Amino acid sequence: KLRLWPLIWDGQMEDTDEGSHWAGIFFPIILAGNGPKEDDGYFALFPLIGRTRKVAGIDQFDFFLWPLFMRTRMNVTEESTSYTVLLLGGWTEGGARDGSWRILPFYRHRLWHNPEGELRTDQHTVLWPFFTWGLDNADSKAPSYRYAFWPLIGYESSDSWYRCTVLWPFFRFQRETQPKVEGEPDFLYDFPWPFFRRSRGDGETVNRAWPFYSHVILPELDSTMFLWPLGWWRVTNALISDKGAPPVPSQRKSLFFLPIVYHSTRTLAGREGEDIEFQLWPLFHNNRGADGHRDQGFFSLWPARDVWFMKPADELYSFLWTLWRRQSNGETTEQRVLLDTRMWRDGPAGVRVS
């Protein structure tokens, strides 16, 4: 590879079992390349005329007096060719969007097929993007029909659910009419977004009155927020590996009232006791581990020092404000005072002062 800035020249050459491939770009004017096959060569003189292959993720791109005319060929699961005239008009042959066409903003007919070739979406738009109607989810057990005058109002329904928007995206209402499983149906209400929301679905329950209160429940998390972004209460369940041991279930309960109070407890399945982390900023912190670990300090000027991404900074700079610090691993206790200028260490080898 060769790159030369600021001319933005890029040249690449690659040898494969099929033969040599090369490509060169003098961006944005000239793009050229070739390979061992007869149809591997391409040349483009932008924006006049040209063809590119395997550039920017597009299998083949042809243009004439861009953006007057463009043709794009892609082969993902099947080959498709899209034609575009002056960016606003165009049509597609083959692939998932076979048969789609548009003359924007006057009319658009959007078709979408699933990998098996079955029709999934058949929608019409007049005066794009304002008036839309048509079929969606046609390849499912609950096809839906959509009618919208965007952004004022939109409505879509099937035999098992409905959704409605008013002044999108501020007011949204959707609900299951035939729940997929036993129990209460899934629903979502925004009135208005993003300030007030009530929702339940996909294992998540949300009640929000932002910025005063928010409560989110997930299978592994129960989080309550108050006076955003100051207060948080979280209960987190996870599998963790402590000191190289096999993963075990754990539960952490954390309280934040930033930047003043941080309190967290952690329990591990099969282990007695709990790990406790507490900080009253900027005065002191007091951490105690179930294994006998201790970490106490005065002053404690780094807010939320025990949050994982805060720990490195606290370890690096805490000596600048420490009047007293006591750390212990259960066997050896170390105390430091006066900006780490004096240290006492008491352990199996005796007492050491420096």
Side-chain angles (χ1 to χ4, degrees):
K1 293 184 178 182
L2 172 66
R3 288 187 174 92
L4 181 62
W5 301 89
L7 299 179
I8 316 181
W9 160 269
D10 181 85
Q12 302 182 31
M13 182 171 288
E14 180 182 7
D15 290 325
T16 67
D17 294 337
E18 297 178 346
S20 297
H21 297 257
W22 67 269
I25 301 176
F26 191 79
F27 187 82
I29 301 174
I30 299 175
L31 300 91
N34 203 354
K37 299 180 181 179
E38 292 184 0
D39 58 351
D40 282 346
Y42 66 88
F43 179 84
L45 183 62
F46 188 84
L48 300 180
I49 191 171
R51 166 176 293 178
T52 65
R53 298 184 189 273
K54 307 295 184 181
V55 175
I58 300 175
D59 293 331
Q60 180 177 312
F61 179 69
D62 303 305
F63 64 90
F64 175 71
L65 296 180
W66 187 93
L68 177 63
F69 176 79
M70 293 170 282
R71 180 175 65 181
T72 304
R73 288 183 177 175
M74 298 289 292
N75 192 349
V76 183
T77 56
E78 56 181 312
E79 185 173 306
S80 66
T81 303
S82 297
Y83 301 85
T84 305
V85 179
L86 289 175
L87 300 179
L88 300 178
W91 65 98
T92 300
E93 298 175 351
R97 298 186 297 139
D98 182 39
S100 299
W101 64 280
R102 67 188 184 277
I103 304 177
L104 298 180
F106 306 107
Y107 180 78
R108 183 182 74 161
H109 186 196
R110 178 173 176 263
L111 298 171
W112 192 273
H113 304 79
N114 64 22
E116 288 72 35
E118 299 174 321
L119 181 65
R120 174 179 297 172
T121 301
D122 185 354
Q123 294 187 356
H124 306 262
T125 302
V126 173
L127 295 179
W128 181 88
F130 299 111
F131 298 95
T132 300
W133 71 94
L135 175 69
D136 203 1
N137 306 299
D139 57 342
S140 69
K141 295 181 180 179
S144 61
Y145 293 87
R146 177 183 305 171
Y147 308 91
F149 177 25
W150 186 87
L152 298 182
I153 190 169
Y155 183 81
E156 183 176 2
S157 66
S158 74
D159 292 337
S160 59
W161 56 267
Y162 72 86
R163 66 168 62 103
C164 178
T165 64
V166 179
L167 295 177
W168 182 92
F170 300 109
F171 298 91
R172 294 192 298 165
F173 312 93
Q174 61 187 56
R175 187 178 182 89
E176 284 185 323
T177 55
Q178 296 181 9
K180 297 184 289 294
V181 296
E182 294 183 1
E184 295 295 324
D186 293 347
F187 62 86
L188 183 149
Y189 305 129
D190 283 335
F191 47 95
W193 177 88
F195 303 104
F196 297 95
R197 167 173 286 191
R198 293 195 65 228
S199 68
R200 179 177 57 235
D202 296 327
E204 179 185 65
T205 301
V206 177
N207 289 283
R208 180 171 68 214
W210 187 86
F212 306 106
Y213 172 82
S214 176
H215 187 201
V216 178
I217 300 176
L218 298 169
E220 71 285 353
L221 175 68
D222 188 329
S223 176
T224 302
M225 177 276 296
F226 50 95
L227 297 178
W228 183 91
L230 300 179
W232 302 82
W233 166 253
R234 288 178 175 170
V235 179
T236 306
N237 298 287
L239 284 175
I240 69 167
S241 177
D242 190 47
K243 297 180 180 179
V248 296
S250 72
Q251 184 179 79
R252 179 179 289 275
K253 299 179 181 179
S254 303
L255 171 67
F256 301 81
F257 194 78
L258 301 177
I260 300 172
V261 176
Y262 169 76
H263 183 268
S264 176
T265 62
R266 187 185 71 165
T267 58
L268 300 181
R271 188 193 70 172
E272 294 184 0
E274 60 183 5
D275 302 321
I276 300 175
E277 299 169 345
F278 176 72
Q279 182 185 24
L280 182 63
W281 181 87
L283 298 180
F284 68 91
H285 68 265
N286 182 14
N287 296 354
R288 293 175 291 155
D291 58 357
H293 169 83
R294 297 290 187 272
D295 187 345
Q296 300 158 317
F298 173 85
F299 290 106
S300 185
L301 294 188
W302 199 268
R305 60 177 297 277
D306 290 300
V307 178
W308 65 271
F309 58 86
M310 294 290 197
K311 288 183 177 181
D314 181 74
E315 292 297 327
L316 285 173
Y317 302 114
S318 62
F319 74 93
L320 295 173
W321 53 75
T322 297
L323 295 185
W324 172 77
R325 184 84 175 264
R326 179 177 182 267
Q327 294 175 297
S328 174
N329 60 10
E331 294 184 353
T332 300
T333 300
E334 180 180 283
Q335 298 189 63
R336 291 171 284 159
V337 297
L338 301 176
L339 310 182
D340 285 6
T341 57
R342 305 294 290 176
M343 181 185 75
W344 289 264
R345 178 175 294 171
D346 185 2
V351 179
R352 176 185 174 186
V353 180
S354 61

PDB file of all heavy atoms in Angstrom, residues 1-4 9-14 21 23-24:
ATOM      1  N   LYS A   1       0.834  -1.192   0.000  1.00  0.00           N
ATOM      2  CA  LYS A   1       0.000   0.000   0.000  1.00  0.00           C
ATOM      3  C   LYS A   1       0.873   1.247   0.000  1.00  0.00           C
ATOM      4  O   LYS A   1       1.967   1.245   0.550  1.00  0.00           O
ATOM      5  CB  LYS A   1      -0.913   0.037   1.235  1.00  0.00           C
ATOM      6  CG  LYS A   1      -1.982  -1.044   1.257  1.00  0.00           C
ATOM      7  CD  LYS A   1      -2.893  -0.858   2.459  1.00  0.00           C
ATOM      8  CE  LYS A   1      -3.994  -1.913   2.462  1.00  0.00           C
ATOM      9  NZ  LYS A   1      -4.913  -1.725   3.608  1.00  0.00           N
ATOM     10  N   LEU A   2       0.345   2.310  -0.605  1.00  0.00           N
ATOM     11  CA  LEU A   2       1.051   3.584  -0.646  1.00  0.00           C
ATOM     12  C   LEU A   2       0.031   4.701  -0.487  1.00  0.00           C
ATOM     13  O   LEU A   2      -0.977   4.732  -1.186  1.00  0.00           O
ATOM     14  CB  LEU A   2       1.797   3.763  -1.963  1.00  0.00           C
ATOM     15  CG  LEU A   2       2.414   5.147  -2.189  1.00  0.00           C
ATOM     16  CD1 LEU A   2       3.535   5.405  -1.176  1.00  0.00           C
ATOM     17  CD2 LEU A   2       2.905   5.276  -3.616  1.00  0.00           C
ATOM     18  N   ARG A   3       0.291   5.592   0.476  1.00  0.00           N
ATOM     19  CA  ARG A   3      -0.555   6.769   0.651  1.00  0.00           C
ATOM     20  C   ARG A   3       0.329   7.994   0.698  1.00  0.00           C
ATOM     21  O   ARG A   3       1.355   7.989   1.365  1.00  0.00           O
ATOM     22  CB  ARG A   3      -1.385   6.668   1.930  1.00  0.00           C
ATOM     23  CG  ARG A   3      -2.505   5.646   1.867  1.00  0.00           C
ATOM     24  CD  ARG A   3      -3.381   5.727   3.115  1.00  0.00           C
ATOM     25  NE  ARG A   3      -4.534   4.852   2.998  1.00  0.00           N
ATOM     26  CZ  ARG A   3      -4.564   3.599   3.431  1.00  0.00           C
ATOM     27  NH1 ARG A   3      -3.501   3.090   4.017  1.00  0.00           N
ATOM     28  NH2 ARG A   3      -5.643   2.855   3.285  1.00  0.00           N
ATOM     29  N   LEU A   4      -0.089   9.052  -0.013  1.00  0.00           N
ATOM     30  CA  LEU A   4       0.665  10.291  -0.067  1.00  0.00           C
ATOM     31  C   LEU A   4      -0.287  11.445   0.213  1.00  0.00           C
ATOM     32  O   LEU A   4      -1.169  11.747  -0.591  1.00  0.00           O
ATOM     33  CB  LEU A   4       1.317  10.479  -1.443  1.00  0.00           C
ATOM     34  CG  LEU A   4       2.169  11.744  -1.607  1.00  0.00           C
ATOM     35  CD1 LEU A   4       3.346  11.712  -0.639  1.00  0.00           C
ATOM     36  CD2 LEU A   4       2.655  11.851  -3.047  1.00  0.00           C
ATOM     37  N   TRP A   9      -3.562  10.277  -2.256  1.00  0.00           N
ATOM     38  CA  TRP A   9      -3.322   9.206  -3.214  1.00  0.00           C
ATOM     39  C   TRP A   9      -3.284   7.895  -2.462  1.00  0.00           C
ATOM     40  O   TRP A   9      -2.703   7.771  -1.397  1.00  0.00           O
ATOM     41  CB  TRP A   9      -1.997   9.433  -3.939  1.00  0.00           C
ATOM     42  CG  TRP A   9      -1.460   8.190  -4.567  1.00  0.00           C
ATOM     43  CD1 TRP A   9      -0.618   7.283  -4.014  1.00  0.00           C
ATOM     44  CD2 TRP A   9      -1.755   7.715  -5.869  1.00  0.00           C
ATOM     45  NE1 TRP A   9      -0.356   6.276  -4.879  1.00  0.00           N
ATOM     46  CE2 TRP A   9      -1.046   6.504  -6.048  1.00  0.00           C
ATOM     47  CE3 TRP A   9      -2.543   8.190  -6.919  1.00  0.00           C
ATOM     48  CZ2 TRP A   9      -1.103   5.766  -7.215  1.00  0.00           C
ATOM     49  CZ3 TRP A   9      -2.595   7.450  -8.087  1.00  0.00           C
ATOM     50  CH2 TRP A   9      -1.886   6.270  -8.223  1.00  0.00           C
ATOM     51  N   ASP A  10      -3.914   6.886  -3.020  1.00  0.00           N
ATOM     52  CA  ASP A  10      -3.915   5.576  -2.379  1.00  0.00           C
ATOM     53  C   ASP A  10      -3.676   4.530  -3.451  1.00  0.00           C
ATOM     54  O   ASP A  10      -4.398   4.476  -4.453  1.00  0.00           O
ATOM     55  CB  ASP A  10      -5.265   5.307  -1.696  1.00  0.00           C
ATOM     56  CG  ASP A  10      -5.283   3.956  -0.998  1.00  0.00           C
ATOM     57  OD1 ASP A  10      -4.827   3.893   0.144  1.00  0.00           O
ATOM     58  OD2 ASP A  10      -5.742   2.976  -1.618  1.00  0.00           O
ATOM     59  N   GLY A  11      -2.637   3.737  -3.286  1.00  0.00           N
ATOM     60  CA  GLY A  11      -2.353   2.664  -4.231  1.00  0.00           C
ATOM     61  C   GLY A  11      -2.181   1.351  -3.502  1.00  0.00           C
ATOM     62  O   GLY A  11      -1.563   1.284  -2.444  1.00  0.00           O
ATOM     63  N   GLN A  12      -2.761   0.271  -4.047  1.00  0.00           N
ATOM     64  CA  GLN A  12      -2.692  -1.038  -3.422  1.00  0.00           C
ATOM     65  C   GLN A  12      -2.430  -2.096  -4.495  1.00  0.00           C
ATOM     66  O   GLN A  12      -2.965  -2.018  -5.604  1.00  0.00           O
ATOM     67  CB  GLN A  12      -3.998  -1.372  -2.704  1.00  0.00           C
ATOM     68  CG  GLN A  12      -4.402  -0.379  -1.639  1.00  0.00           C
ATOM     69  CD  GLN A  12      -5.683  -0.798  -0.935  1.00  0.00           C
ATOM     70  OE1 GLN A  12      -5.967  -1.979  -0.798  1.00  0.00           O
ATOM     71  NE2 GLN A  12      -6.458   0.186  -0.493  1.00  0.00           N
ATOM     72  N   MET A  13      -1.615  -3.083  -4.135  1.00  0.00           N
ATOM     73  CA  MET A  13      -1.368  -4.220  -5.010  1.00  0.00           C
ATOM     74  C   MET A  13      -1.375  -5.487  -4.164  1.00  0.00           C
ATOM     75  O   MET A  13      -0.795  -5.514  -3.074  1.00  0.00           O
ATOM     76  CB  MET A  13      -0.031  -4.075  -5.741  1.00  0.00           C
ATOM     77  CG  MET A  13       0.262  -5.230  -6.707  1.00  0.00           C
ATOM     78  SD  MET A  13       1.700  -4.919  -7.753  1.00  0.00           S
ATOM     79  CE  MET A  13       1.029  -3.666  -8.830  1.00  0.00           C
ATOM     80  N   GLU A  14      -2.035  -6.524  -4.653  1.00  0.00           N
ATOM     81  CA  GLU A  14      -2.175  -7.759  -3.898  1.00  0.00           C
ATOM     82  C   GLU A  14      -2.030  -8.950  -4.846  1.00  0.00           C
ATOM     83  O   GLU A  14      -2.627  -8.970  -5.930  1.00  0.00           O
ATOM     84  CB  GLU A  14      -3.541  -7.798  -3.202  1.00  0.00           C
ATOM     85  CG  GLU A  14      -3.776  -9.053  -2.382  1.00  0.00           C
ATOM     86  CD  GLU A  14      -5.158  -9.062  -1.743  1.00  0.00           C
ATOM     87  OE1 GLU A  14      -5.958  -8.164  -2.062  1.00  0.00           O
ATOM     88  OE2 GLU A  14      -5.425  -9.971  -0.946  1.00  0.00           O
ATOM     89  N   HIS A  21      -3.952  -8.257  -8.229  1.00  0.00           N
ATOM     90  CA  HIS A  21      -4.976  -7.219  -8.205  1.00  0.00           C
ATOM     91  C   HIS A  21      -4.303  -5.905  -7.858  1.00  0.00           C
ATOM     92  O   HIS A  21      -3.439  -5.847  -6.988  1.00  0.00           O
ATOM     93  CB  HIS A  21      -6.045  -7.525  -7.137  1.00  0.00           C
ATOM     94  CG  HIS A  21      -6.807  -8.789  -7.377  1.00  0.00           C
ATOM     95  ND1 HIS A  21      -8.080  -8.794  -7.874  1.00  0.00           N
ATOM     96  CD2 HIS A  21      -6.455 -10.086  -7.198  1.00  0.00           C
ATOM     97  CE1 HIS A  21      -8.504 -10.057  -7.967  1.00  0.00           C
ATOM     98  NE2 HIS A  21      -7.528 -10.858  -7.560  1.00  0.00           N
ATOM     99  N   ALA A  23      -5.191  -1.460  -7.403  1.00  0.00           N
ATOM    100  CA  ALA A  23      -6.190  -0.387  -7.374  1.00  0.00           C
ATOM    101  C   ALA A  23      -5.493   0.907  -6.997  1.00  0.00           C
ATOM    102  O   ALA A  23      -4.565   0.918  -6.176  1.00  0.00           O
ATOM    103  CB  ALA A  23      -7.293  -0.704  -6.367  1.00  0.00           C
ATOM    104  N   GLY A  24      -5.936   2.005  -7.610  1.00  0.00           N
ATOM    105  CA  GLY A  24      -5.359   3.311  -7.329  1.00  0.00           C
ATOM    106  C   GLY A  24      -6.433   4.372  -7.268  1.00  0.00           C
ATOM    107  O   GLY A  24      -7.414   4.315  -8.021  1.00  0.00           O
TER     108      GLY A  24
END
